[in-house]
């Protein structure tokens, strides 16, 4: 019996080390108020490196604007966790394969597809070269809305992500794939869309109907006596990474990590999708099998920290600047943000009343699962053209547009309503 058990463990270990590990990490935002997304991704990068994933097998997207932003009290440094002393600079050594304008949905999908020709001359040019024997880990941190996740200049819709994942599966680009997604309404990217037979295991920061949350915000965003002025991390993301820093990933399973993160992330409903039986796999199979020096060893206190709804992070950032620095520019920026939020509320409230006279904006409370992506893409594009680009805050109203698309409202009617609504809002 002992001989059989030894053989099984030997074979399991051989399988674990024989497969290559690949990872794609994406921070899809820019702006110092979105500090947490790039901090998340740089922390994730070090988690993977510290567990033995080769640098050339990790592909990183980050706009790379926060480390040297004038608002940063520690120029050239980024932190994902508070510290009374010097703290851990996660920006040091962090990968930067694609930065600035190269951080977009098209490049992300081309990297997943392994399309070297499409990425030639862009950033590092690195793409996934995983095979049918390899394990792939994807982590994305940014804003989202019903049926989409955001990049600095465009959006990635769930339908296009699904098409890419299906293409990867069809051409045997991976053996098993794990996707961790941090975004508001992130469940809408997978619920009812991801097949359960593609060897893909997904967890999301929230369900299809709610926001995700920033952590280490406000007075808790302190490093070495200085307040960063922006949330240091996202609650779901920090929870999985601080667990990976502390746990033995060769014995902890994906299900174990999911349950821990779900418990700690009480402000939203952490969800799982796809081929759930993969949850029995060791986390190490996707985040690395080695156990080098970990960057954080102390227990996580993210869930006990000051938390901010991701939709309100920009408002909180400008409010912090104004209340702590009393800067004229900060007061002006805070006023602009408040005015924008009022404009968005008034505009989409009017649009809802025009399309749904009896119910109005209350339709936002209805359960919406996007399926008509042709309509949704057109609606989002045209409403942005008429009313201005969606912001971190106003992205929540994509839910209203999706509701209209799923209930047979023609794009032409949405456009007509938007013209009236946004013109009226400007006059208020």
């Amino acid at each position: 019996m002992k001989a059989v058990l030894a053989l099984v463990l030997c074979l399991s270990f051989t399988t674990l080390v024989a497969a290559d590990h690949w990872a794609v990490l994406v921070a899809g935002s820019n702006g110092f108020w979105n500090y947490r997304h790039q901090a998340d991704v740089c922390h994730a990068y070090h988690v993977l490196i510290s567990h033995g994933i080769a640098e050339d097998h990790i592909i990183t997207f980050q706009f790379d604007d926060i480390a040297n932003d004038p608002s940063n009290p520690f120029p050239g440094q980024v932190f994902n966790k508070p510290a009374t002393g010097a703290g851990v600079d996660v920006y040091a050594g962090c990968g930067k394969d694609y930065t600035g304008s190269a951080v977009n949905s098209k490049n992300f999908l081309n990297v997943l597809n392994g399309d070297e020709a499409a990425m030639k001359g862009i950033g590092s040019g690195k793409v996934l070269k995983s095979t049918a024997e390899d394990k792939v880990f994807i982590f994305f941190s940014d804003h989202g809305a019903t049926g989409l996740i955001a990049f600095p200049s465009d959006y990635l819709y769930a339908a296009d992500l699904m098409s890419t994942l299906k293409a990867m599966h069809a051409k045997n680009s991976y053996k098993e794939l794990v996707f961790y997604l941090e975004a508001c309404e992130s469940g809408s990217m997978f619920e009812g869309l991801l097949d359960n037979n593609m060897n893909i295991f997904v967890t999301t920061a929230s369900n299809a109907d709610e926001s995700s949350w920033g952590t280490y915000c406000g007075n808790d965003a302190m490093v070495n006596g200085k307040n960063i002025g922006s949330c240091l991390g996202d609650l779901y993301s920090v929870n999985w990474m601080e667990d990976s820093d502390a746990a033995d990933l060769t014995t902890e399973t994906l299900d174990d990590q999911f349950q821990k993160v779900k418990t700690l992330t009480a402000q939203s409903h952490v969800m799982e999708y796809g081929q759930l039986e993969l949850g029995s796999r060791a986390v190490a199979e996707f985040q690395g099998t080695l156990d080098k020096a970990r960057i954080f060893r102390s227990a996580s206190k993210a869930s006990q920290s000051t938390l901010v709804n991701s939709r309100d992070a920009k408002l909180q950032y400008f409010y912090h600047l104004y209340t702590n620095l009393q800067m004229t520019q900060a007061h002006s920026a805070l006023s602009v943000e408040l005015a924008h939020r009022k404009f968005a509320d008034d505009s989409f409230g009017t649009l809802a009343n025009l399309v749904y006279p009896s119910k109005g904006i209350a339709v936002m409370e209805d359960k919406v699962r996007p399926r008509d992506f042709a309509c949704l893409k057109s609606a989002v594009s045209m409403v942005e053209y008429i009313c201005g680009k969606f912001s971190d805050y106003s992205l929540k109203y994509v839910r209203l547009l999706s509701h209209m698309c799923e209930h047979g409202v023609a794009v032409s009617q949405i456009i007509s309503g938007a013209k009236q609504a946004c013109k009226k809002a400007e006059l208020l």
Side-chain angles (χ1 to χ4, degrees), residues 187-198:
S188 68
M189 294 294 290
F190 298 100
E191 184 180 323
L193 297 170
L194 179 63
D195 294 337
N196 62 3
N197 60 354
M198 293 171 56

Side-chain angles (χ1 to χ4, degrees), residues 92-339:
C94 182
K96 294 187 285 185
D97 293 292
Y98 300 102
T99 61
S101 62
V103 181
N104 60 60
S105 65
K106 181 180 179 181
N107 287 342
F108 174 57
L109 295 183
N110 283 334
V111 164
L112 294 186
N113 276 316
D115 193 340
E116 289 184 283
M119 299 308 295
K120 186 177 181 179
I122 302 174
S124 68
K126 284 166 63 175
V127 298
L128 271 183
K129 294 183 179 179
S130 50
T131 72
E133 298 303 316
D134 300 334
K135 306 293 181 77
V136 175
F137 178 73
I138 302 172
F139 171 53
F140 183 101
S141 179
D142 188 22
H143 293 282
T146 301
L148 65 82
I149 49 179
F151 283 82
S153 60
D154 70 335
Y155 306 113
L156 173 60
Y157 290 85
D160 297 320
L161 177 60
M162 288 305 110
S163 293
T164 297
L165 293 176
K166 288 177 180 178
M168 292 173 67
H169 180 254
K171 62 184 181 183
N172 296 315
S173 294
Y174 62 87
K175 182 175 183 179
E176 293 168 346
L177 184 151
V178 168
F179 198 134
Y180 284 6
L181 177 57
E182 171 77 61
C184 291
E185 295 157 302
S186 45
S188 68
M189 294 294 290
F190 298 100
E191 184 180 323
L193 297 170
L194 179 63
D195 294 337
N196 62 3
N197 60 354
M198 293 171 56
N199 289 328
I200 296 177
F201 178 88
V202 173
T203 74
T204 62
S206 64
N207 64 24
D209 305 308
E210 63 191 354
S211 296
S212 60
W213 289 72
T215 189
Y216 299 140
C217 305
N219 292 331
D220 289 319
M222 299 290 294
V223 175
N224 205 17
K226 295 181 180 180
N227 195 306
I228 300 295
S230 190
C231 298
L232 302 187
D234 289 285
L235 185 57
Y236 157 87
S237 298
V238 166
N239 281 335
W240 79 254
M241 287 184 288
E242 292 188 358
D243 177 64
S244 290
D245 283 324
D248 180 352
L249 301 189
T250 62
T251 59
E252 179 165 295
T253 67
L254 292 169
D255 272 337
D256 292 336
Q257 185 160 86
F258 168 72
Q259 292 299 334
K260 287 182 181 180
V261 174
K262 182 178 180 179
T263 299
L264 290 169
T265 312
Q267 279 64 34
S268 62
H269 297 83
V270 175
M271 304 297 290
E272 58 181 348
Y273 303 98
Q275 199 158 332
L276 300 186
E277 54 264 37
L278 295 184
S280 63
R281 300 288 191 271
V283 177
E285 294 188 45
F286 302 92
Q287 295 180 24
T289 59
L290 301 183
D291 187 19
K292 296 183 180 179
R294 297 162 181 164
I295 59 173
F296 296 118
R297 288 192 175 274
S298 59
S300 172
K301 294 184 179 180
S303 59
Q304 303 164 27
S305 176
T306 301
L307 307 174
V308 172
N309 185 309
S310 290
R311 299 279 185 227
D312 298 327
K314 188 174 184 180
L315 179 67
Q316 189 266 349
Y317 166 72
F318 286 126
Y319 181 75
H320 168 82
L321 286 182
Y322 175 64
T323 56
N324 288 274
L325 302 179
Q326 297 293 315
M327 297 167 56
T328 302
Q329 304 97 307
H331 180 266
S332 176
L334 179 61
S335 298
V336 168
E337 177 63 14
L338 289 169

